[in-house]
Amino acid sequence: MQLKAEPQRQLVRLRGRSYVAFVFTPSMPIMDWLAEIDATLARSPGFFVGRPIVLDLSAVDLSRQGIVQLVTSLSDRDIRVLGLEGVDAERLDPRLPPLLTGGRQCVIEQVPPRKEEPKPAPVASLLIDTPVRSGQCVVFTEGDVTVLGSVGSGAEIVAGGSIHVYGTLRGRAMAGINGKADARIFCQRIEAELLAIDGYYQTAEDIDETLRGQAVQAWLDGDNMKITPLN
């Protein structure tokens, strides 16, 4: 009797992960916008290394070739464009990153009204009672993040609301990432690599040297980020 072994199927394993991507929104003239990118890279050459970038083209009217040139220009600066937004699919070709959908700025569909069910009270804050060490990343888009310790160099705190660090902030702190312009960043001792609120940021090179080592707060005054000592 002969037995024939049936080949086994190789199952595809899928996992869900989320990453925080920077969204670039170019403006005209493009050369001036690229010059601002160059200025940022001159201050912090590794700022965009390994970062997923989404290119939002809704504010510019570029031809297909113009889009290709723009993506190529960013690639020449070692800026990796993960996908495109705000452009018609007819203007894309296989050389370009894919058109992304499903981001926070999505089309709101009309759905039939239904009876509202009681919902649990939303969690407004996240408390971390240990230091955040180098290489760790804390993402809490629902509200404030409070760290009862220090945030190490290379660590990252991302919050939908404000960020409070009761120790030394050496890593990156990104507050108000969902458009909450009134979010603030507080820390007992500032040695930060990056502070960002609602998309506006300052790198270590931008922060006034006289503030180093002090307890400070950062907030937005219009389009400008203010950093002042805590008295």
Side-chain angles (χ1 to χ4, degrees):
M1 181 175 63
Q2 293 183 342
L3 296 178
K4 183 179 180 181
E6 295 292 338
Q8 294 184 347
R9 293 181 56 194
Q10 179 67 44
L11 299 180
V12 177
R13 191 175 187 180
L14 302 177
R15 290 177 174 173
R17 290 185 181 177
S18 61
Y19 294 85
V20 177
F22 286 132
V23 178
F24 279 1
T25 305
S27 57
M28 301 299 285
I30 291 295
M31 294 307 297
D32 289 351
W33 182 80
L34 288 173
E36 290 296 325
I37 296 292
D38 289 337
T40 298
L41 291 174
R43 294 193 299 270
S44 301
F47 187 72
F48 299 114
V49 173
R51 288 282 184 180
I53 303 294
V54 174
L55 199 57
D56 181 0
L57 300 174
S58 58
V60 294
D61 184 16
L62 297 177
S63 65
R64 179 178 301 176
Q65 186 58 34
I67 297 172
V68 171
Q69 291 178 354
L70 177 57
V71 172
T72 301
S73 297
L74 293 173
S75 178
D76 291 342
R77 291 165 170 80
D78 293 328
I79 296 176
R80 180 180 57 183
V81 178
L82 177 68
L84 304 175
E85 285 185 340
V87 63
D88 293 334
E90 291 77 11
R91 296 195 180 186
L92 305 182
D93 67 23
R95 295 173 294 175
L96 291 168
L99 188 63
L100 297 182
T101 59
R104 290 189 176 275
Q105 294 181 4
C106 60
V107 175
I108 299 176
E109 297 182 354
Q110 295 292 333
V111 297
R114 62 182 180 181
K115 185 179 179 180
E116 291 291 335
E117 298 180 356
K119 297 180 179 178
V123 178
S125 64
L126 173 65
L127 176 64
I128 301 173
D129 57 5
T130 59
V132 181
R133 302 189 186 283
S134 177
Q136 291 182 316
C137 179
V138 176
V139 180
F140 185 71
T141 60
E142 290 79 5
D144 294 1
V145 174
T146 300
V147 181
L148 300 181
S150 296
V151 177
S153 176
E156 188 170 87
I157 306 293
V158 180
S162 298
I163 295 175
H164 309 258
V165 179
Y166 289 89
T168 302
L169 172 57
R170 295 190 174 89
R172 301 181 178 188
M174 305 170 70
I177 63 166
N178 294 331
K180 188 174 174 55
D182 60 347
R184 298 194 177 204
I185 299 173
F186 304 88
C187 67
Q188 288 297 315
R189 180 182 173 88
I190 185 170
E191 299 288 349
E193 297 169 348
L194 172 81
L195 300 178
I197 300 175
D198 189 24
Y200 295 90
Y201 66 88
Q202 289 194 18
T203 62
E205 293 79 5
D206 300 324
I207 299 172
D208 192 335
E209 280 295 328
T210 61
L211 297 174
R212 290 285 173 183
Q214 296 196 47
V216 302
Q217 65 168 325
W219 79 96
L220 287 183
D221 182 10
D223 295 340
N224 298 314
M225 181 184 292
K226 301 287 188 179
I227 305 175
T228 57
L230 282 173
N231 297 319

